[in-house]
Amino acid sequence: MIYTGRFAPSPTGPLHFGSLLAALASFLDARHHKGKWLVRIEDIDTPRVVENANDWILQTLDAYGLQWDDTVVYQSQRLRLYEEHLHKLIHQQEAYACCCTRSELSVRNARHLYDGKCRETPPKTDASVAIRLRSSAVKSEFTDRIQGKQVLHQSRADDFVLKRRDGYFAYQLAVVIDDHDQHITHVVRGADLLQETFRQRDLQAHFNFQQLEYAHIPLATYTNGQKLSKQNLAPAISNNKVVENLCFALKCLGQNPPQELFQATRREIIDWAIKNWQIEQIPATCVLPNQQEA
Ligand SMILES: [Zn+2]
């Protein structure tokens, strides 16, 4: 099977330096392995979507020379695919309806690990319900190419939500279906999604989908330890400082670009990086100078 990787941003704002690191690492790993690299816009959580953000993201990838294969996939155009798969699980009794509200779950301390109330007693309501996975995985493990062996051992199986009470499909469901549908073999993404991998692998097993290889790059932090994320308003990266930012990103990823590369063209930098890519060189933390103006 040909290596197929992907970059899957949510269009909630322009790319910041941390998302450039994830995009670049995923791109370089795919190209180094002579594989395909796809882009998927994860825009199903409509209330969080920012208008035009998908265009900014694609323009930035383009400006940085991260050329993707095939056409860009938009999750918002694939709702029927998700619905079909969800129905299959419900039909096989591997998913069930849940009428618990957020506040009921809070009272029962079951917001993060569902207590199975509606699994035992199906709701007798026509009101809006969520759909949950009927999971049996209490212990699970996988080996991440960067983070090493990951083990999850929890007190009960995690019946996480596949479709929310408000009618939106959950991120987990869409990602798992899309990765399968797009024949993704390798996922390289930020470590903020490391724990989500357990749920995604559980769901893949329920669908009998292929297993993927995972590599989670450390989150970029400033030297003061603060994380770089959209939540704390990390600045958008400029499309006018491509050479500097690419070289800086390669340094953050432990790739040791030679000094002369800082005077090279975008094309030369990307070519060097594909050829010399070594995922095992990625450090435990990607540290940025404070107030880095990327
Ligand atoms: Zn319930």
Side-chain angles (χ1 to χ4, degrees):
M1 197 183 276
I2 182 171
Y3 179 121
T4 307
R6 61 17 174 223
F7 177 58
S10 300
T12 52
L15 291 185
H16 57 73
F17 195 78
S19 29
L20 175 67
L21 289 181
L24 183 63
S26 143
F27 171 85
L28 293 176
D29 199 55
R31 296 301 190 221
H32 181 76
H33 291 96
K34 305 198 167 20
K36 291 176 75 171
W37 189 64
L38 309 180
V39 172
R40 176 168 81 223
I41 302 287
E42 302 203 327
D43 58 351
I44 43 167
D45 195 354
T46 319
R48 290 178 59 232
V49 167
V50 172
E51 204 184 344
N52 298 329
N54 55 338
D55 293 332
W56 302 332
I57 290 170
L58 296 178
Q59 279 160 17
T60 301
L61 293 178
D62 198 44
Y64 278 77
L66 308 183
Q67 195 50 60
W68 57 91
D69 296 306
D70 302 350
T71 44
V72 174
V73 161
Y74 290 85
Q75 288 190 327
S76 58
Q77 294 169 7
R78 296 158 68 80
L79 303 183
R80 244 181 69 189
L81 185 70
Y82 307 145
E83 193 67 58
E84 283 166 14
H85 279 80
L86 186 62
H87 271 266
K88 210 159 104 186
L89 282 189
I90 296 171
H91 184 70
Q92 295 167 348
Q93 302 194 332
E94 289 180 61
Y96 62 92
C98 168
C99 61
C100 302
T101 62
R102 203 175 262 254
S103 56
E104 286 166 350
L105 293 173
S106 294
V107 168
R108 305 205 309 265
N109 195 21
R111 272 192 67 184
H112 295 294
L113 200 53
Y114 185 60
D115 58 6
K117 184 168 186 282
C118 293
R119 178 177 175 145
E120 270 100 57
T121 324
K124 296 186 190 71
T125 172
D126 291 330
S128 58
V129 289
I131 305 294
R132 288 181 181 276
L133 179 70
R134 189 184 298 273
S135 174
S136 56
V138 174
K139 197 175 176 193
S140 155
E141 60 179 65
F142 69 96
T143 302
D144 186 276
R145 292 169 62 212
I146 297 170
Q147 310 286 337
K149 189 171 171 181
Q150 303 296 309
V151 179
L152 178 77
H153 201 170
Q154 48 197 6
S155 54
R156 57 157 60 238
D158 182 7
D159 286 358
F160 59 89
V161 169
L162 302 174
K163 191 176 185 182
R164 290 162 19 189
R165 289 178 85 234
D166 59 13
Y168 288 106
F169 292 104
Y171 160 76
Q172 312 288 4
L173 181 80
V175 166
V176 164
I177 294 171
D178 286 337
D179 282 343
H180 174 72
D181 187 65
Q182 297 186 282
H183 307 291
I184 301 299
T185 60
H186 290 71
V187 173
V188 179
R189 61 184 176 188
D192 51 332
L193 292 166
L194 183 61
Q195 290 305 310
E196 304 296 334
T197 310
F198 289 108
R199 288 176 159 183
Q200 289 167 23
R201 286 172 50 86
D202 191 9
L203 190 51
Q204 284 158 4
H206 279 263
F207 281 124
N208 276 319
F209 287 168
Q210 83 281 14
Q211 299 271 300
L212 311 180
E213 293 285 338
Y214 290 93
H216 287 85
I217 65 163
L219 293 191
T221 57
Y222 292 112
T223 42
N224 65 11
Q226 199 192 20
K227 278 194 183 120
L228 186 70
S229 70
K230 277 178 203 161
Q231 284 71 34
N232 57 36
L233 301 176
I237 49 167
S238 161
N239 291 354
N240 301 321
K241 294 169 77 179
V242 168
V243 165
E244 284 162 88
N245 282 340
L246 276 177
C247 287
F248 189 56
L250 288 172
K251 266 182 104 162
C252 283
L253 292 169
Q255 301 302 303
N256 288 321
Q259 199 53 43
E260 61 266 25
L261 220 53
F262 287 77
Q263 272 79 48
T265 64
R266 178 188 81 177
R267 180 66 193 268
E268 288 164 340
I269 296 167
I270 293 287
D271 286 349
W272 179 89
I274 292 172
K275 187 160 170 266
N276 293 284
W277 174 246
Q278 285 181 292
I279 199 167
E280 58 278 7
Q281 293 295 323
I282 295 179
T285 348
C286 295
V287 180
L288 312 167
N290 287 333
Q291 274 99 44
Q292 149 72 18
E293 298 241 328

